[in-house]
Amino acid sequence: MAAYILRRLLLMIPTLIGIMAISFVIVQFAPGGPVERVIAQVTGTDVGATARVSGGGGDFGGVQGGGGGDVSSKYRGARGLDPEFIKKLEKQFGFDKPPLERFWLMMKNYAVFDLGQSYFRSISVVDLVKEKMPVSISLGMWMTLISYGVSIPLGIAKAVRDGSRFDVWTSAAIVVGYAIPGFLFGILLIVLFAGGSFWDLFPLRGLTSEGWSTFSWPHKIVDYLWHLVLPLTAMSLAAFTTTTLLTKNSFLDEIRKQYVVTARMKGLSEHRVLYGHVFRNAMLLVIAGFPGAFIGAFFGGSLLIETIFSLDGLGLLGFESLVNRDYPVVFGTLWVFSLMGLVVNLISDLTYTWIDPRIDFESREI
């Protein structure tokens, strides 16, 4: 097992480099950029960004004059600006170096988790990620736990009662839940329970109330969970469907196998058959979907929910940074999420051996 873990860890290195290289190349051909972003703000034509340059843009005095020249003609909207000003911007953002050199420097820094400095915020990317991480961890962790905590027992119950009235109405309920977009359901929850047109029972923004640091520990926990009720409800609505149906179908496949029939003929109780024999085999497929569920909830699944409920997490940070062409934040968050995804996939594979010790990764070719 140690050799397998070592091989997987070593394989992460070229995988991470490949992910970052492809993303870096795409960015080189993408229209716009931080230099053009600053030029647009200086000339008053910036209408599509979500954050201002103040605080991280530096001294941009002496903008006018110079007639444009060869340097300014490279950028849209730069005509009429001082070429020295454009060169100053290029140097500040690192674009005075060739792309390969920039990529090499970025990867060398990322290897020691030096993610650089945000272009448009007076903060390092590491500190920015740490600042936003609690929101994304809370949403991703709790949604995954709730989803699996409900879906697995429900899927087992549906498999045992396959074709019954309970199976039919629960299937209808989770399919309807899957069909409702999470952000639309979130808006409905706000209207109903967060001071919209009906009740004002839950807070609308943030993970904690004002003055949270002064609360007692029981009060802190209750306040934290109170803020999570609506976002998690909106996110979890569609999350039950896939895992529930996957669990049900996995159990049905195993229940129909010969070893289950033999176990029942030996006089074993139904509980012993289900949880002593079927559960271990049926759960392998469910566990295989755990990394994708966690990473999806941690990043992609939380973007709209973070926006609707004013939760400032990594999903919203990554989106705003991409819109604002804040490339250090874009690549820094991509590095963090890619690394997390690879580690979670490794943990998922190792969990296989805990569920079923018969699985041997030592003899497996990667």
Side-chain angles (χ1 to χ4, degrees):
M1 182 59 67
Y4 172 76
I5 295 175
L6 180 60
R7 291 200 303 269
R8 286 291 297 271
L9 291 175
L10 292 176
L11 187 61
M12 290 181 187
I13 298 174
T15 304
L16 283 170
I17 293 175
I19 292 172
M20 300 305 296
I22 293 173
S23 304
F24 187 85
V25 170
I26 292 174
V27 165
Q28 302 310 303
F29 292 99
V35 174
E36 290 173 311
R37 168 85 200 287
V38 175
I39 291 172
Q41 289 197 336
V42 167
T43 58
T45 59
D46 182 25
V47 295
T50 60
R52 299 192 61 81
V53 175
S54 59
D59 180 14
F60 299 136
V63 172
Q64 301 297 330
D70 293 335
V71 177
S72 60
S73 64
K74 293 192 303 183
Y75 301 101
R76 184 176 55 187
R79 188 172 298 278
L81 298 181
D82 188 348
E84 291 301 320
F85 170 69
I86 304 299
K87 290 181 179 179
K88 183 178 178 181
L89 287 179
E90 288 183 330
K91 184 175 181 179
Q92 177 181 333
F93 295 130
F95 294 134
D96 57 331
K97 302 179 180 67
L100 284 178
E101 183 180 351
R102 297 204 312 270
F103 180 75
W104 164 249
L105 291 174
M106 182 181 74
M107 295 307 300
K108 187 170 69 172
N109 292 332
Y110 281 13
V112 293
F113 264 82
D114 177 8
L115 304 184
Q117 189 87 6
S118 169
Y119 284 160
F120 304 121
R121 307 172 192 239
S122 298
I123 186 173
S124 70
V125 177
V126 171
D127 290 337
L128 197 56
V129 169
K130 288 180 180 178
E131 179 184 314
K132 313 298 183 183
M133 186 75 79
V135 171
S136 295
I137 288 180
S138 295
L139 293 177
M141 179 186 68
W142 285 112
M143 201 208 81
T144 305
L145 291 177
I146 292 172
S147 173
Y148 273 70
V150 173
S151 298
I152 291 176
L154 180 59
I156 295 173
K158 287 172 63 62
V160 173
R161 300 171 178 83
D162 184 39
S164 67
R165 186 174 299 176
F166 170 82
D167 181 38
V168 172
W169 74 258
T170 52
S171 294
I174 61 176
V175 169
V176 169
Y178 183 77
I180 300 176
F183 72 91
L184 188 61
F185 189 61
I187 295 174
L188 176 63
L189 292 175
I190 291 174
V191 172
L192 292 176
F193 303 112
S197 303
F198 295 89
W199 301 280
D200 188 6
L201 302 178
F202 296 96
L204 187 56
R205 63 179 61 247
L207 284 182
T208 56
S209 300
E210 187 176 351
W212 185 81
S213 59
T214 63
F215 296 167
S216 63
W217 276 109
H219 191 184
K220 285 182 177 180
I221 295 173
V222 171
D223 182 76
Y224 167 72
L225 295 176
W226 181 48
H227 281 73
L228 282 174
V229 170
L230 295 188
L232 288 177
T233 303
M235 289 180 67
S236 301
L237 183 66
F240 297 134
T241 307
T242 302
T243 309
T244 299
L245 297 180
L246 180 60
T247 302
K248 175 191 172 182
N249 293 332
S250 297
F251 263 77
L252 285 177
D253 288 342
E254 293 297 323
I255 287 173
R256 293 166 181 159
K257 291 183 178 178
Q258 186 61 43
Y259 76 89
V260 176
V261 176
T262 303
R264 286 172 173 164
M265 291 177 62
K266 289 181 177 180
L268 296 180
S269 65
E270 192 66 16
H271 185 275
R272 179 75 179 276
V273 171
L274 284 177
Y275 295 99
H277 294 77
V278 175
F279 183 84
R280 183 177 62 185
N281 297 322
M283 282 298 97
L284 291 176
L285 284 176
V286 178
I287 290 172
F290 179 83
F294 179 77
I295 296 299
F298 190 82
F299 181 62
S302 64
L303 173 57
L304 291 175
I305 300 300
E306 287 179 13
T307 304
I308 292 171
F309 290 97
S310 301
L311 298 171
D312 197 6
L314 288 176
L316 188 59
L317 172 66
F319 172 75
E320 290 183 345
S321 300
L322 188 61
V323 171
N324 293 324
R325 304 299 192 265
D326 196 347
Y327 292 150
V329 180
V330 172
F331 287 121
T333 52
L334 176 63
W335 174 266
V336 171
F337 283 119
S338 300
L339 185 59
M340 285 183 56
L342 292 171
V343 171
V344 171
N345 268 297
L346 175 59
I347 294 174
S348 176
D349 282 351
L350 297 179
T351 307
Y352 280 133
T353 61
W354 176 66
I355 296 293
D356 190 349
R358 295 172 299 176
I359 296 177
D360 181 19
F361 284 114
E362 290 288 351
S363 58
R364 175 183 171 184
E365 293 293 334
I366 299 179

